[in-house]
Amino acid sequence: MKIGELIKYLEDWAPKEAAWERDNVGIQIGSRNKELKNILICLELNHNVVSEAIKKKCNFIFTHHPFIFNPLKKLEFDKDNLIEKIIIHGLTVYSAHTNLDFTKDGVSFALAKKLNLQEIKFLQNADSNRVKIVVFAPEESVDLLSEKLFETGAGIIEEYSRCSFRLKGEGTFQGGENTNPVIGKKGAFEKAVEMRIEMIADKWLLPKIIDAIHTYHPYETPAYDIYPLKNENENFGAGCIGILPAEMTPSGFYDYVKKSLRLESFRYTKGNQKKIRKVAVCGGSGSELLGRAIASGADAFVTADIKYHTFHDALDKIHLIDAGHYETEVVVLDEVKKRIEKFINDKNIKVYKYSRSTNPVKFYKHKGDK
């Protein structure tokens, strides 16, 4: 299996186009054309991660945080240069960052599942980035054409796939002297029974969709329309919201979060709810979703990187917990590992999760602690 095959699988799940526009996702260093060996999964890259990858004979490293975020101004190699080490050992480093944040079963979904939330859905769906495709085709070509459009990724609405609408009607046309119509004769005014096929798709799929229309439509010049949609995208979004299996007291919920995420401690402010059942989460920096969490009726909101004034905004409104950036994102690595193992299904290729922590944040307890 080539590395590029694994990358395609990952990007079918978490498309690069779903990422924040200023993010740097995808291959950071390396090649998609090499044979895939073993795989190491981590939250971010450092010397220890690369050393472990080499030790375990991995040539593909999956990271959540991009290794290269700002443009490189120079490459000066020395004995401690990480890029040189990666190149010498033939490693490919790949990052899925905000695209993994915004995708279903990505970072926030993994956090919600770690807290055993039920009925999980996006806290805030992505802004309009979808289109409606309308194609007109003869009735006998509809099934094949629809199937090929489904294969591009069109017709997915939340948990439903292969979604379309079909309507029978009558089309008219008159081919010019240089045409070769499939139905009727050139120069003659023709009428034909046709089907109108409608599907919704993410706009970044348009090149594939248009190519499929031209490849599998029987007409010389297929008739199709593309409509931009104002609808929010049901398939991508920020944060999650769900329901606890049973309601908890605030102190009981705080203990539950600490235990579930294996936290040494966390920062929080109290809301006005005496019982907690509906919980919003956002892996990583999710402060901007506080208003949405409150408006959604959540009793508590678990996220990270919360500023002082944001705690003030939440006080007496919602139980707000800052559980740490690393701690709220590292939970997704198990989901990534499970998906990769299922896709590869090859006992000769091992998938490892980095054995140590890359979290730079430490908690000082008392003098003498390390």
Side-chain angles (χ1 to χ4, degrees):
M1 178 182 290
K2 300 286 187 182
I3 286 175
E5 295 177 62
L6 174 59
I7 289 175
K8 181 183 181 304
Y9 167 76
L10 291 169
E11 292 179 356
D12 283 344
W13 171 37
K16 291 195 298 182
E17 296 85 354
W20 181 48
E21 60 182 6
R22 286 181 282 176
D23 202 359
N24 183 34
V25 298
I27 288 182
Q28 307 286 293
I29 301 171
S31 169
R32 66 180 66 236
N33 296 318
K34 292 182 179 179
E35 288 293 325
L36 181 65
K37 297 179 182 177
N38 295 335
I39 299 160
L40 184 65
I41 300 167
C42 61
L43 203 67
E44 55 239 334
L45 202 68
N46 60 27
H47 279 281
N48 290 331
V49 170
V50 172
S51 294
E52 185 166 314
I54 294 168
K55 182 179 179 180
K56 292 181 174 176
K57 296 181 171 54
C58 301
N59 71 339
F60 184 84
I61 301 176
F62 175 98
T63 79
H64 177 48
H65 295 147
F67 175 59
I68 301 172
F69 192 80
N70 297 312
L72 296 173
K73 295 182 179 180
K74 62 180 180 179
L75 280 175
E76 184 175 349
F77 292 153
D78 55 48
K79 65 179 181 179
D80 294 322
N81 189 282
L82 192 52
I83 294 179
E84 181 184 23
K85 190 175 182 180
I86 291 167
I87 293 172
I88 287 173
H89 290 277
L91 307 180
T92 293
V93 178
Y94 177 90
S95 297
H97 190 213
T98 50
N99 50 327
L100 191 59
D101 289 330
F102 298 151
T103 200
K104 195 168 291 184
D105 293 325
V107 175
S108 292
F109 274 76
L111 177 57
K113 291 173 184 177
K114 196 71 175 178
L115 296 176
N116 200 25
L117 299 186
Q118 313 296 313
E119 302 175 30
I120 303 169
K121 60 182 180 180
F122 286 113
L123 179 59
Q124 180 173 296
N125 288 98
D127 291 336
S128 175
N129 57 6
R130 309 197 86 193
V131 293
K132 177 179 280 189
I133 311 296
V134 178
V135 189
F136 302 88
E139 193 169 9
E140 61 271 17
S141 304
V142 168
D143 287 341
L144 174 63
L145 183 58
S146 296
E147 191 61 37
K148 295 302 179 181
L149 293 178
F150 292 145
E151 288 176 7
T152 69
I156 296 176
I157 303 175
E158 291 192 357
E159 298 299 322
Y160 294 89
S161 61
R162 303 166 64 86
C163 301
S164 69
F165 178 78
R166 301 176 180 184
L167 182 67
K168 185 181 288 190
E170 185 178 70
T172 67
F173 57 89
Q174 183 170 334
E177 189 60 33
N178 296 321
T179 63
N180 185 27
V182 174
I183 298 173
K185 298 179 180 179
K186 60 183 178 184
F189 179 71
E190 301 287 354
K191 297 179 182 180
V193 175
E194 294 182 333
M195 297 288 288
R196 174 189 174 104
I197 312 167
E198 297 184 9
M199 293 184 191
I200 291 176
D202 298 311
K203 65 182 179 182
W204 56 79
L205 296 175
L206 275 175
K208 285 195 221 177
I209 290 169
I210 292 171
D211 182 64
I213 291 172
H214 284 282
T215 301
Y216 296 101
H217 199 292
Y219 289 176
E220 271 189 309
T221 306
Y224 62 90
D225 302 321
I226 300 168
Y227 299 97
L229 299 178
K230 295 293 185 182
N231 313 49
E232 291 182 336
N233 193 328
E234 308 93 342
N235 301 325
F236 298 92
C240 286
I241 190 164
I243 306 295
L244 287 167
E247 67 179 12
M248 301 180 184
T249 63
S251 61
F253 180 70
Y254 299 156
D255 288 338
Y256 179 73
V257 171
K258 185 175 184 294
K259 182 179 179 180
S260 298
L261 301 183
R262 299 180 181 180
L263 307 177
E264 291 188 49
S265 64
F266 59 79
R267 300 186 302 150
Y268 74 98
T269 196
K270 287 186 176 181
N272 61 3
Q273 297 82 1
K274 295 182 180 179
K275 297 288 185 180
I276 295 174
R277 185 73 190 277
K278 194 173 186 180
V279 178
V281 302
C282 181
S285 304
S287 293
E288 72 278 3
L289 294 173
L290 175 62
R292 187 77 174 205
I294 293 171
S296 71
D299 304 313
F301 181 31
V302 181
T303 185
D305 302 339
I306 300 170
K307 295 180 180 180
Y308 176 79
H309 292 290
T310 305
F311 280 116
H312 267 299
D313 294 338
L315 187 61
D316 295 328
K317 297 174 185 173
I318 190 171
H319 295 274
L320 180 60
I321 294 177
D322 185 331
H325 195 113
Y326 178 90
E327 292 83 354
T328 58
E329 290 192 331
V330 72
V331 292
V332 79
L333 298 186
D334 288 329
E335 179 69 25
V336 175
K337 184 174 185 291
K338 181 183 73 174
R339 284 175 176 260
I340 290 177
E341 286 175 334
K342 184 177 179 181
F343 171 70
I344 292 174
N345 192 27
D346 186 339
K347 293 180 180 179
N348 295 316
I349 299 176
K350 305 295 183 184
V351 184
Y352 300 101
K353 192 169 70 169
Y354 180 55
S355 61
R356 299 164 64 183
S357 171
T358 56
N359 190 358
V361 180
K362 307 299 177 186
F363 294 89
Y364 184 81
K365 294 180 181 178
H366 57 79
K367 197 171 182 178
D369 281 354
K370 294 182 179 180

